[in-house]
Amino acid sequence: MAVILPPEATADWWRSAAIYQVYVRSFADGDGDGTGDLAGVRSKLGYLAELGVEALWFTPWYLSPLADGGYDVADYRTIDPAFGSLAEAEKLIAEALGLGIRTIVDIVPNHVSDQHAWFRAALAAEPGSPERELFHFRPGRGEHGELPPNDWPSQFAGTTWTRVPDGEWYLHLFAPEQPDLNWAHPAVRQEHEDVLRFWFERGVAGVRIDSAALLAKAPGLPDFVEGQDPHPYIDLDELHDIYRSWRTIADEYDGIFVGEVWLPDSERFARYLRPDELHTAFNFNFLSCPWDATLLRTSIEETLAEHAPVGAPATWVLCNHDVTRTVTRYGREATGFDFAAKAFGTPTDLALGTRRARAAALLSLALPGAVYLYQGEELGLPEAEIPLQRIQDPMHFRSGGSDPGRDGCRVPLPWSAEAPHYGFGSVRPPWLPQPEDWEAYAADRQEGDPSSMLSLYRTALGLRRTEPGFGDGPLRWLPAPDGALAFAREDGLMCVVNLAAQSAELPGHTGFLLVSGPLDEDGRLPQDTAVWLRA
Ligand code: NOJ
């Protein structure tokens, strides 16, 4: 069992934590209805403690019609009945904390569900009414208002505007079921501040902020012009004022934020991490980086350099519920920029991808800062092929079928090789089909096997907690052959990763902490293998 640190002794826990993302629908099913739920999570808290994670980030668990997997929230103060109840969420938060595991909830401030009371009231009200001012309602363009008010493209393909029966249009950067809120309206700000307090009062330690750089929109919602600065809805300066006021609330509760901030400009990204704004933001640059030593080193250096001036720790992420699973991605030819994107039928070599994913795990867990793991990553799950008729993700439908959508990384977890539905817990078939060849990935198959992905993660996470040199702190690059990365952390810890075809000589050391795969007969580090050493 992992070492448990008393919460009061670790005020800066978030600077170094290993945080596990729970996609509730697919984690474990406590009531057998085919959908994962809070009872399922509670039944697996022992597994999570043994894995050695320090916090859980729950993707939205609130009342939702699930038009976008819960990122369409109908009521922030109610748990979706498919998952459980508020009382059960409170129990879960307390039970997890009893095991030394903190809870992070997901807030989606850019939009709500079209079933949210505010939007229903807005639809029932007239153009120009106060109810509509909470959203972005506009008359259309064209002679009869038949054209959308502007040309913004949706993040889910297609237009960002939907017309309502009285002729007005409303804005939705994502699906039509996710109307955007008007962040220039004081009631929108007030409501979110109340929601933050609501969850901090229930004992959560942190909040993940969905689409954190999209909330503010340029006045007048002007058309998008290529190269326009500022962009009409990405990264507007007003956002910082919002997050500064959120920070004062978090500080009252010792809570923390992690922002979902996808921005190519590192200086603009770092602004969100100034000491009076967000504590952390996801580092998607590393996630999107192909398996290439030079590119990875550049990504790591840039990340550390952009965080240093604001004093924020970096976060390392290899996978989440929106991108292709790690072993599938790393088993493909490096494809540059759209490396993490979903694609139909891209050839992948799973043995290669698994070897690289093991090495990538040791790399990311040894870097300075916090690290996020996505459920199933510790089992080495590949991306699943979902039969076309079972796809549920709106991204697929809105792309006209060209994008497979994100269901392939959201398949219910395999817990037990022999049990129906791999022990996911469902009596009814799980909401997404599980592949027929997943026995070997089941947690119970991997548990006793020292060479399994699960064993690798358990050992690595255990060392990460007991070795003070890991987590937040300095990193010093060491000389390494071409195609390899080598760096030292404090307390004599070293990490070497070899991506080159030829095996690499290890630096002088006094012992091995962990290797991601077997060494060569002559003790050299083979291709796609990583090692933790003691200097
Ligand atoms: C980012 C979330 O991770 C994704 O799953 C969701 O579809 C969009 N934001 C919209 O909320």
Side-chain angles (χ1 to χ4, degrees):
M1 179 73 90
V3 179
I4 293 170
L5 303 172
E8 63 282 5
T10 54
D12 275 355
W13 64 274
W14 50 276
R15 300 190 69 93
S16 300
I19 299 163
Y20 184 96
Q21 179 187 353
V22 180
Y23 193 78
V24 183
R25 252 177 135 181
S26 300
F27 185 72
D29 182 1
D31 65 6
D33 67 353
T35 291
D37 48 34
L38 302 191
V41 180
R42 289 175 68 199
S43 74
K44 301 290 184 195
L45 284 175
Y47 168 90
L48 293 165
E50 202 165 335
L51 179 60
V53 293
E54 290 140 284
L56 303 176
W57 151 34
F58 291 94
T59 48
W61 55 13
Y62 323 102
L63 187 69
S64 167
L66 297 178
D68 179 22
Y71 285 93
D72 48 321
V73 179
D75 180 357
Y76 275 108
R77 297 172 181 82
T78 306
I79 298 288
D80 197 284
F83 298 152
S85 64
L86 186 58
E88 190 158 28
E90 289 172 350
K91 272 193 207 146
L92 168 54
I93 294 165
E95 284 166 2
L97 201 57
L99 294 169
I101 301 177
R102 294 171 167 85
T103 294
I104 295 176
V105 292
D106 206 327
I107 299 290
V108 190
N110 181 66
H111 43 268
V112 289
S113 161
D114 62 352
Q115 298 306 307
H116 189 284
W118 279 9
F119 192 72
R120 290 159 70 116
L123 282 186
E126 296 179 349
S129 59
E131 289 84 352
R132 290 209 173 173
E133 280 171 19
L134 296 169
F135 299 89
H136 297 283
F137 278 88
R138 293 285 184 284
R141 296 200 280 204
E143 205 180 326
H144 307 288
E146 72 282 11
L147 298 173
N150 72 22
D151 67 354
W152 297 355
S154 165
Q155 307 273 326
F156 283 172
T159 171
T160 48
W161 293 93
T162 291
R163 200 170 191 192
V164 301
D166 60 38
E168 278 207 317
W169 299 71
Y170 68 88
L171 175 72
H172 49 86
L173 291 186
F174 294 90
E177 296 86 352
Q178 295 166 293
D180 278 43
L181 288 164
N182 172 13
W183 271 88
H185 198 298
V188 171
R189 284 185 70 148
Q190 184 60 52
E191 168 65 0
H192 282 81
E193 297 189 359
D194 291 351
V195 165
L196 290 178
R197 285 183 194 285
F198 180 88
W199 285 103
F200 283 134
E201 290 286 342
R202 276 158 186 80
V204 309
V207 172
R208 181 241 186 209
I209 307 169
D210 187 76
S211 306
L214 303 183
L215 281 45
K217 314 290 186 298
L221 311 181
D223 275 346
F224 173 72
V225 179
E226 194 61 45
Q228 176 181 348
D229 187 27
H231 190 282
Y233 61 84
I234 299 178
D235 187 32
L236 269 66
D237 284 340
E238 298 88 288
L239 288 169
H240 298 285
D241 183 49
I242 296 171
Y243 294 133
R244 273 192 288 269
S245 65
W246 285 26
R247 178 65 180 250
T248 60
I249 296 171
D251 284 348
E252 285 173 39
Y253 297 91
D254 281 333
I256 65 109
F257 293 117
V258 54
E260 189 203 19
V261 182
W262 293 85
L263 284 183
D265 179 332
S266 57
E267 190 273 327
R268 297 290 307 185
F269 174 88
R271 285 169 178 235
Y272 291 83
L273 302 176
R274 289 177 289 198
D276 59 348
E277 298 193 33
L278 309 182
H279 304 71
T280 54
F282 291 117
N283 167 15
F284 293 117
N285 184 302
F286 184 67
L287 179 153
S288 329
C289 186
W291 188 244
D292 172 280
T294 309
L295 295 176
L296 281 168
R297 178 162 171 164
T298 306
S299 167
I300 294 165
E301 283 174 343
E302 285 179 1
T303 300
L304 297 176
E306 80 195 17
H307 285 75
V310 284
T315 63
W316 307 98
V317 191
L318 291 174
C319 198
N320 66 29
H321 64 294
D322 291 331
V323 301
T324 304
R325 277 201 179 269
T326 322
V327 303
T328 302
R329 227 165 63 213
Y330 286 141
R332 292 177 186 164
E333 287 300 313
T335 47
F337 200 64
D338 58 355
F339 176 63
K342 303 283 177 187
F344 279 113
T346 311
T348 187
D349 174 344
L350 285 185
L352 175 70
T354 302
R355 209 161 60 238
R356 290 176 173 176
R358 292 173 66 89
L362 293 203
L363 169 63
S364 59
L365 292 169
L367 290 170
V371 65
Y372 280 79
L373 266 77
Y374 174 48
Q375 68 181 38
E377 201 176 333
E378 81 281 16
L379 302 176
L381 292 186
E383 187 81 1
E385 289 275 333
I386 308 294
L388 279 182
Q389 69 280 12
R390 298 290 304 271
I391 292 184
Q392 304 217 9
D393 185 13
M395 205 171 219
H396 170 71
F397 302 106
R398 290 185 54 86
S399 74
S402 63
D403 185 322
R406 301 160 296 179
D407 294 332
C409 65
R410 299 175 175 181
V411 171
L413 292 190
W415 291 99
S416 156
E418 305 296 334
H421 313 302
Y422 303 117
F424 178 58
S426 303
V427 177
R428 289 207 218 129
W431 72 280
L432 279 177
Q434 298 163 300
E436 280 170 14
D437 57 355
W438 267 19
E439 285 92 357
Y441 294 107
D444 67 347
R445 277 281 165 87
Q446 300 198 35
E447 227 134 42
D449 174 2
S451 70
S452 69
M453 188 72 97
L454 181 58
S455 298
L456 181 78
Y457 266 98
R458 279 186 179 164
T459 311
L461 289 167
L463 284 167
R464 210 173 168 279
R465 291 180 77 156
T466 49
E467 290 289 339
F470 286 133
D472 198 22
L475 169 151
R476 185 166 49 86
W477 291 102
L478 300 172
D482 273 357
L485 300 172
F487 55 88
R489 304 297 319 274
E490 302 223 290
D491 291 314
L493 299 174
M494 295 190 291
C495 174
V496 187
V497 190
N498 185 18
L499 294 85
Q502 63 282 11
S503 60
E505 178 130 16
L506 292 175
H509 61 274
T510 58
F512 289 91
L513 273 91
L514 192 56
V515 281
S516 70
L519 296 183
D520 277 357
E521 278 167 14
D522 55 1
R524 290 165 67 90
L525 190 66
Q527 184 174 22
D528 299 327
T529 310
V531 62
W532 288 356
L533 301 168
R534 203 179 288 286

